[in-house]
Amino acid sequence: MIAYRGAGEACIAAQHQPALVLDYARSRDADGVHLLRDTGLDGSDIPAAGRAVSPLQYAQLIRNVLRELDSADTSFMLGQQMLPGHYGEISHALLHAQTLRQALQILCEFASRLCPLLRPRWREEGALAVVYWMDSFGLPALRPALVEMHMTALAAMCRWLGGERLPWRFCFNRASPRHTEQHQVHLGQELRFDCHLDAMLIDAAWLDRPWPRGSAMAASVALRAVELEAARAPLHPGLLDALYDFLLERVRGAPTLELTAAAFDVSPATLKRHLLRHGSHFQAELDQVRTHVAIYLFQTRRADNDTVAAYLGFHDATNFRRSFKRWTGQTPGLLRDALHV
């Protein structure tokens, strides 16, 4: 049985990220009553130790802050203080990471604690490293702000710990906003919109450059403590994360709803209901995985339609092209050409 967390499960320590979000909003004189509406938090300056909120409640807090502050820079400013954060040993481990590679390993391995709403996934292929961000709990309306927040968090942390601004390139799964000044201020000039995933790209040569704040001993001690804590109280991935992993491992075999439901130890009807509560459905999740795999093969291996079609289990390239256009609104050739610009 695959274990996962539901969006309504109280599993996010309120004194960690929610407290930082609340503190920032209060520093900007936001209305405290409106900030706390539907968040499960009270009016305390600092949430009590041991208090937890659900992903839906944390997301509501962010929505409240965005609405009350009504400023184009709010999501970016929230990201500036997000990582390494003040989350105990896991933050210490990030603080003492020796390289970008180690920081990404920590971030991805302990994503449920460090990035509870969007999960970072990291792939390295030849000269390119890609970090892409996935919605863990079905929050499409909030996704643009969450992406800005999380990309800023990673870029800002790397700049601080690495001692210089890293040459990230940023891809957004959305149309270009009317104004991109805040994106440029916080992320830089390398921005691309109308992509089919939210991703940060960097030359792999940056992965192993030593960071001046890095400490092998301090990072090792902190990681051991984090691993012990995780063993005592495992924090399972969100439903959409767990489903993505399952489908990704089996994407070449055309996994079915029935097979997937059995792996999650529920009926197909129950899995459908769970996904509906997360604003999704099985075919959409499978198509997303197939799209990401196709983009990965186009981007990193310069694969052609026949190669990708065979990899994904299509009978021929024609069926693949038809399906790909349904998934993305573009033909594979147009997207492949755009990726190689």
Side-chain angles (χ1 to χ4, degrees), residues 63-76:
R63 287 192 196 91
N64 293 348
V65 171
L66 292 171
R67 182 174 55 250
E68 289 301 309
L69 296 185
D70 192 24
S71 172
D73 71 346
T74 299
S75 58
F76 300 95

Side-chain angles (χ1 to χ4, degrees), residues 7-327:
E9 181 181 341
C11 55
I12 300 172
Q15 61 180 335
H16 290 170
Q17 287 189 22
L20 292 179
V21 170
L22 195 55
D23 183 65
Y24 175 75
R26 286 170 170 165
S27 74
R28 301 291 295 269
D29 297 323
D31 187 314
V33 174
H34 292 158
L35 286 178
L36 298 175
R37 184 171 296 161
D38 299 323
T39 66
L41 299 172
D42 56 29
S44 304
D45 289 339
I46 302 175
R51 183 70 179 272
V53 297
S54 72
L56 290 180
Q57 289 172 322
Y58 179 33
Q60 186 61 51
L61 173 62
I62 294 174
R63 287 192 196 91
N64 293 348
V65 171
L66 292 171
R67 182 174 55 250
E68 289 301 309
L69 296 185
D70 192 24
S71 172
D73 71 346
T74 299
S75 58
F76 300 95
M77 295 304 297
L78 292 176
Q80 288 282 351
Q81 61 185 346
M82 181 176 163
L83 297 174
H86 308 283
Y87 321 136
E89 295 296 340
I90 189 63
S91 290
H92 291 160
L94 273 180
L95 181 64
H96 295 291
Q98 297 173 272
T99 62
L100 174 58
R101 181 185 298 278
Q102 187 178 30
L104 292 178
Q105 289 170 342
I106 295 170
L107 189 66
C108 292
E109 183 176 356
F110 300 103
S112 295
R113 287 172 167 77
L114 290 166
C115 305
L117 298 184
L118 288 191
R119 179 177 173 181
R121 295 171 179 270
W122 166 44
R123 298 192 72 162
E124 180 185 357
E125 181 77 19
L128 186 67
V130 180
V131 178
Y132 61 107
W133 300 89
M134 300 295 300
D135 186 347
S136 297
F137 295 101
L139 302 166
L142 193 57
R143 184 175 178 87
L146 290 178
V147 168
E148 293 163 358
M149 178 178 169
H150 286 70
M151 285 188 176
T152 301
L154 179 54
M157 182 188 74
C158 291
R159 184 175 186 177
W160 180 44
L161 298 182
E164 58 185 322
R165 190 167 193 160
L166 273 59
W168 291 104
R169 290 167 280 164
F170 300 88
C171 299
F172 297 90
N173 186 13
R174 58 180 290 201
S176 176
R178 181 174 300 178
H179 303 290
T180 61
E181 290 86 352
Q182 293 299 329
H183 291 79
Q184 294 170 11
V185 167
H186 293 280
L187 301 177
Q189 301 296 319
E190 293 293 326
L191 307 170
R192 290 184 64 181
F193 294 89
D194 293 308
C195 302
H196 291 281
L197 72 170
D198 295 298
M200 302 168 63
L201 288 67
I202 195 168
D203 291 342
W206 288 88
L207 290 172
D208 297 307
R209 293 196 183 193
W211 280 0
R213 295 176 178 270
S215 167
M217 177 64 75
S220 177
V221 170
L223 282 174
R224 279 203 298 270
V226 173
E227 289 164 357
L228 288 173
E229 178 186 355
R232 289 194 302 269
L235 194 54
H236 300 302
L239 171 60
L240 299 185
D241 289 331
L243 180 57
Y244 188 97
D245 286 334
F246 179 85
L247 296 176
L248 184 61
E249 289 178 4
R250 296 159 179 81
V251 70
R252 303 186 69 177
T256 64
L257 171 65
E258 290 73 21
L259 173 69
T260 305
F264 281 78
D265 198 28
V266 296
S267 69
T270 298
L271 181 57
K272 284 182 178 180
R273 286 196 299 272
H274 289 340
L275 289 174
L276 184 61
R277 284 197 289 268
H278 286 72
S280 188
H281 56 86
F282 179 77
Q283 192 62 50
E285 295 302 311
L286 178 57
D287 290 348
Q288 177 179 242
V289 172
R290 287 170 164 169
T291 300
H292 290 174
V293 170
I295 291 173
Y296 172 76
L297 294 173
F298 288 148
Q299 174 85 54
T300 62
R301 301 185 186 178
R302 295 185 176 267
D304 59 19
N305 289 348
D306 289 325
T307 300
V308 177
Y311 187 91
L312 293 177
F314 284 85
H315 294 300
D316 54 53
T318 300
N319 285 330
F320 166 68
R321 283 196 298 270
R322 187 180 302 115
S323 294
F324 190 86
K325 188 170 183 179
R326 175 172 57 82
W327 303 339

